[in-house]
Amino acid sequence: MDWLNSLLNLIVPPAGLIMLAFSWPTLFFLHACEWLFRTLYREDMDGKVVLITGASSAIGEQIVYEYARRRANLVLVARRENRLWGIRDNARLLGARQVLIMAADVVKLDDCRKFVGDAVSFFGHLDHLVNAASLGHTFFFEEATDASVFPHLMDINFWGNVYPSFVALPHLRRSHGRIVVNASVDSWLPLPRMSLYAAAKAALVNFYETLRYEVKDEIGITVATHGWVGSDMIGGRFLLEEGAEMQWKEEREASFAGGQVEEFARSIVAGACRGDANVRFPSWYDIFQLYRVFAPDVLSWTFRLLFAAQPTRKTSAIGVGTKREEPTTITHSSPPPLKIE
């Protein structure tokens, strides 16, 4: 078997590249035709029912407005009910037919059963489930002094998507509906200061890529990956869109709109209505996939150069960039300020 693997190692990669080179023009033409067809005959969302988690801020809020412009019926889910009232009013002004708001925690399965069940009971069906809840960070892994924050990243970024999808699947199957996922380029591009976030997003993307084969053509799945969509990600802070029970309150009402977030939301909804399997924003990040596969050393050298000039890091309180003179033991110190992603 060893000799067989050695032989295949020599034959398969070059043969695969040659086949790809010859098939690429045909594949590109077919994809272009498919994109044109889906653009001309995209799904009409007028009167359709769309449930959006993480709808109280940032990307989730902008997705609400995009569906509202398409005159959909909306169900807005977030923990901060007070934020949802104003977003509901904005959505109505933009053209949404009916808008329900529900305060719930996406990492609690019982909450997911309740808001999905209430939405279906009210409207009679469900057409799109948009999982927009996300929690990011910008601290080096070794800077964290309180590991109790780690599960929150996995809970919100992974289970906060899986639980609503699990509950909604039977309803989406009946309506031949669609799941829309807010992922990130960090799921495959190894960016420093985002190790835990990247791991959670990678698990998320792999889950939905596998689920796509399980549900076949009965339920559509659109995985949207975004690169840099804002400039507030500095200093090793947590970046909250919306998610699980977080004790920290400071700066949670910070505004984070901006052109890039709005454009990404517009791309997500347009792609979902076309039936696209993947939405990438901005698309120029795709070039790094080639480097990741064929020249991974180039990415490694680039990141080393980018971070070589940074000063020596010191341990910080819960990874929030609050510098200490002397390293200390792990304590449950004051919670970090939060920023919207």
Side-chain angles (χ1 to χ4, degrees):
M1 185 59 68
D2 289 340
W3 68 267
L4 179 59
N5 284 327
S6 298
L7 181 63
L8 293 176
N9 286 338
L10 293 174
I11 297 175
V12 172
L17 290 175
I18 293 172
M19 292 176 61
L20 181 61
F22 281 102
S23 62
W24 182 258
T26 302
L27 291 173
F28 180 82
F29 175 76
L30 292 175
H31 283 304
C33 293
E34 184 181 33
W35 180 87
L36 180 61
F37 176 82
R38 288 178 173 176
T39 300
L40 294 175
Y41 299 98
R42 61 182 178 269
E43 183 178 4
D44 184 5
M45 297 307 301
D46 191 354
K48 297 289 184 71
V49 179
V50 181
L51 191 156
I52 304 169
T53 67
S56 66
S57 60
I59 294 172
E61 178 180 355
Q62 297 303 318
I63 290 174
V64 170
Y65 299 149
E66 291 302 317
Y67 274 109
R69 292 184 177 97
R70 288 166 169 78
R71 300 182 59 79
N73 293 302
L74 303 177
V75 181
L76 313 185
V77 177
R79 293 192 67 251
R80 295 175 289 173
E81 185 177 2
N82 62 311
R83 282 277 298 160
L84 292 177
W85 290 105
I87 295 172
R88 183 198 64 173
D89 295 339
N90 293 338
R92 285 176 170 173
L93 291 174
L94 289 172
R97 288 186 173 273
Q98 297 187 71
V99 184
L100 303 184
I101 61 173
M102 300 181 185
D105 192 335
V106 292
V107 302
K108 295 180 178 178
L109 185 56
D110 288 340
D111 280 20
C112 295
R113 287 195 175 105
K114 186 178 188 308
F115 65 69
V116 171
D118 289 348
V120 174
S121 296
F122 186 87
F123 290 109
H125 64 283
L126 177 64
D127 296 291
H128 281 201
L129 168 66
V130 181
N131 293 308
S134 184
L135 176 65
H137 68 84
T138 59
F139 59 81
F140 288 99
F141 181 71
E142 65 180 320
E143 288 182 328
T145 59
D146 185 356
S148 67
V149 303
F150 296 167
H152 289 296
L153 289 160
M154 181 58 73
D155 285 344
I156 298 173
N157 291 313
F158 185 74
W159 296 114
N161 289 257
V162 172
Y163 286 158
S165 300
F166 174 71
V167 176
L169 275 179
H171 308 290
L172 293 171
R173 193 181 297 275
R174 283 193 291 270
S175 65
H176 294 282
R178 176 165 297 273
I179 299 173
V180 183
V181 185
N182 174 29
S184 171
V185 71
D186 300 273
S187 61
W188 58 268
L189 183 63
L191 296 176
R193 303 178 69 98
M194 294 185 176
S195 53
L196 297 170
Y197 175 76
K201 290 296 187 180
L204 182 68
V205 171
N206 278 280
F207 168 77
Y208 281 105
E209 291 293 347
T210 304
L211 183 64
R212 196 194 306 276
Y213 292 108
E214 295 183 7
V215 299
K216 300 178 181 177
D217 295 330
E218 297 180 29
I219 300 174
I221 296 178
T222 297
V223 178
T225 56
H226 65 80
W228 193 270
V229 293
S231 58
D232 272 358
M233 298 174 66
I234 57 173
R237 304 186 182 105
F238 283 95
L239 307 160
L240 185 67
E241 288 178 7
E242 184 57 48
E245 278 189 27
M246 308 295 285
Q247 301 175 13
W248 312 302
K249 304 296 183 182
E250 293 85 349
E251 302 184 41
R252 292 194 61 176
E253 300 302 324
S255 174
F256 194 77
Q260 288 187 317
V261 175
E262 295 173 4
E263 190 175 349
F264 177 52
R266 193 176 303 115
S267 299
I268 291 176
V269 177
C273 293
R274 282 195 306 267
D276 292 348
N278 297 283
V279 173
R280 299 180 181 90
F281 180 87
S283 60
W284 59 263
Y285 274 89
D286 288 353
I287 190 63
F288 292 112
Q289 292 187 4
L290 295 177
Y291 284 100
R292 178 73 185 272
V293 175
F294 297 108
D297 288 341
V298 174
L299 287 181
S300 177
W301 297 333
T302 301
F303 290 137
R304 288 178 184 274
L305 289 173
L306 288 174
F307 286 87
Q310 290 198 356
T312 303
R313 289 168 283 146
K314 298 180 181 180
T315 305
S316 61
I318 321 182
V320 298
T322 305
K323 302 300 179 183
R324 295 180 178 177
E325 295 300 324
E326 297 292 337
T328 61
T329 57
I330 295 177
T331 59
H332 293 276
S333 57
S334 300
L338 292 169
K339 285 288 185 180
I340 304 285
E341 185 176 3

